Amino acid sequence: MENLMFVYRSCKVIWTLLITILGYASSLPVGDDSICTAEELAKYSIIFTGKWSQTAFPKQYPLYRPPAQWSSMLGVTHSSDYSMWKKNEYASNGVRDFAEKGEAWVLMKEIEEAGEKIQSVHGIFSAPAISSGTGQTSTELEVHSRHPLVSFVVRIVPSPDWFVGIDSLNLCEGDHWMEEVSVDLFPYDAGTDSGFTFSSPNFATIPQDTVTEITCSSPSHPANSFYYPKLKNLPPIAQVTMVKLKKNHLGLPAPYLSVPAKSNEIIDSVSETPLDCEVSQWSSWGLCRGLCRKTGTKIRTRFVLLQPANNGMPCPNLDEETGCAPENCV
């Protein structure tokens, strides 16, 4: 009997201890941003650099109507309770409108509603558009110890629904804010339009697909503007740098000197993507021409689909001749 009582008391103690541990664990805040113990506020300069050059991305590079360019940047600082967009998840209506048409109204409403309902948003920031594929734009943002995450989107123009951006980058490292961070950016497909090329007409994806990263081999279709099957990885199409602003003796952020645009000079010398010539299938053979009872000739042709670039494989012969026996001889 005493042994049974001992087992009972032991089980009761273990059970009580387990409940206590589980209760404590359930009361802990969720998400990496919850453990930020840095000073309450920090300000950053955010610099977006477009690297979308014809040298780095020669295939179907948009030269006019419209030429390659970047939309304005729309971003937010937030906690882990909010998400602007996520890879392999469905884009919101706001992200869809922004990625397809550059319209920010619905996305702004989504951000405001999230901030009002669950207090997950600290601030919204934006930066001007860039009128070419290469160049820089910048702005400032403020993060909070309870809202240390940064997310943003920039639309690739022209494109069906392609964009670049960051999803929930944490600028807090325990008890301090990161001084500087740079991230290479690659293209994403919002999953709402089925176009393959920069200039594809609007063709809605039904049912909607998830947000996916565009690579040199995916989508695996020769018509894809980013399809470079000989590459292992696409070169970065853009880069973002965030630099913490230091406070002067008055407690105000010191002015930030933007990164010099000389980075654009490096793009052409480093990111040279070779593009092989692409030609059509052969046409059918033409009529056999020549004198009767003698060997004649007939010709077939093909045409260039894609001109080579950056020392890519040159185009082969576009016509071919072979011998034949003239027809309809009398």
Side-chain angles (χ1 to χ4, degrees):
M1 186 65 179
E2 288 180 359
N3 289 338
L4 289 175
M5 289 300 294
F6 175 76
V7 172
Y8 170 76
R9 290 193 185 99
S10 299
C11 290
K12 186 174 181 181
V13 170
I14 294 172
W15 179 252
T16 303
L17 181 61
L18 183 60
I19 292 295
T20 303
I21 293 172
L22 290 175
Y24 172 73
S26 65
S27 66
L28 289 175
V30 179
D32 292 341
D33 54 318
S34 61
I35 59 174
C36 179
T37 57
E39 59 180 330
E40 194 172 61
L41 294 173
K43 284 193 174 182
Y44 284 81
S45 176
I46 178 169
I47 306 101
F48 177 89
T49 304
K51 295 188 174 185
W52 185 18
S53 68
Q54 190 172 11
T55 304
F57 299 92
K59 187 173 183 180
Q60 302 166 3
Y61 188 81
L63 295 173
Y64 55 91
R65 299 182 182 177
Q69 57 191 275
W70 299 96
S71 77
S72 58
M73 172 193 291
L74 181 59
V76 60
T77 57
H78 59 95
S79 69
S80 59
D81 296 321
Y82 171 78
S83 175
M84 175 181 273
W85 66 275
K86 280 191 179 298
K87 182 179 177 180
N88 298 326
E89 294 188 7
Y90 293 104
S92 67
N93 290 336
V95 171
R96 177 200 63 201
D97 287 357
F98 191 87
E100 287 190 15
K101 298 173 283 188
E103 296 177 358
W105 173 253
V106 177
L107 183 54
M108 288 285 290
K109 292 293 291 182
E110 290 174 352
I111 295 171
E112 290 172 2
E113 288 174 2
E116 292 172 0
K117 288 180 181 179
I118 55 178
Q119 303 297 308
S120 59
V121 172
H122 178 71
I124 301 174
F125 59 90
S126 64
I130 303 174
S131 59
S132 62
T134 60
Q136 287 185 339
T137 186
S138 63
T139 188
E140 293 182 5
L141 61 88
E142 183 180 79
V143 284
H144 187 275
S145 57
R146 293 193 302 273
H147 305 85
L149 307 182
V150 176
S151 296
F152 72 81
V153 287
V154 179
R155 181 179 179 239
I156 298 173
V157 183
S159 74
D161 60 341
W162 302 341
F163 69 95
V164 297
I166 278 181
D167 166 37
S168 303
L169 175 66
N170 194 343
L171 294 179
C172 183
E173 291 185 318
D175 61 354
H176 67 279
W177 295 103
M178 299 174 69
E179 291 296 324
E180 181 174 342
V181 58
S182 291
V183 180
D184 287 334
L185 303 177
F186 299 89
Y188 280 89
D189 187 323
T192 61
D193 192 291
S194 297
F196 271 126
T197 66
F198 296 120
S199 57
S200 293
N202 184 30
F203 186 68
T205 301
I206 301 174
Q208 180 177 334
D209 204 350
T210 58
V211 175
T212 55
E213 184 176 350
I214 300 172
T215 70
C216 56
S217 57
S218 179
S220 183
H221 193 291
N224 177 18
S225 292
F226 286 111
Y227 186 70
Y228 296 94
K230 291 189 176 181
L231 294 183
K232 290 184 178 180
N233 299 291
L234 284 177
I237 196 171
Q239 185 183 64
V240 65
T241 301
M242 282 166 272
V243 181
K244 186 174 179 290
L245 298 177
K246 302 183 183 300
K247 294 181 179 179
N248 59 25
H249 65 282
L250 296 176
L252 300 174
Y256 176 76
L257 298 177
S258 63
V259 177
K262 68 179 183 180
S263 58
N264 287 342
E265 299 172 7
I266 302 174
I267 297 172
D268 292 335
S269 61
V270 175
S271 300
E272 290 194 0
T273 301
L275 184 65
D276 296 340
C277 177
E278 292 183 13
V279 295
S280 68
Q281 298 292 322
W282 285 110
S283 68
S284 56
W285 287 103
L287 295 175
C288 185
R289 300 183 181 277
L291 300 175
C292 288
R293 293 178 294 279
K294 292 186 178 181
T295 301
T297 58
K298 58 183 178 180
I299 297 174
R300 64 178 181 176
T301 61
R302 56 187 173 184
F303 57 90
V304 175
L305 295 173
L306 194 65
Q307 292 288 351
N310 304 329
N311 296 316
M313 187 178 296
C315 294
N317 291 332
L318 300 179
D319 48 63
E320 187 175 65
E321 185 177 292
T322 188
C324 61
E327 299 173 0
N328 301 324
C329 282
V330 291

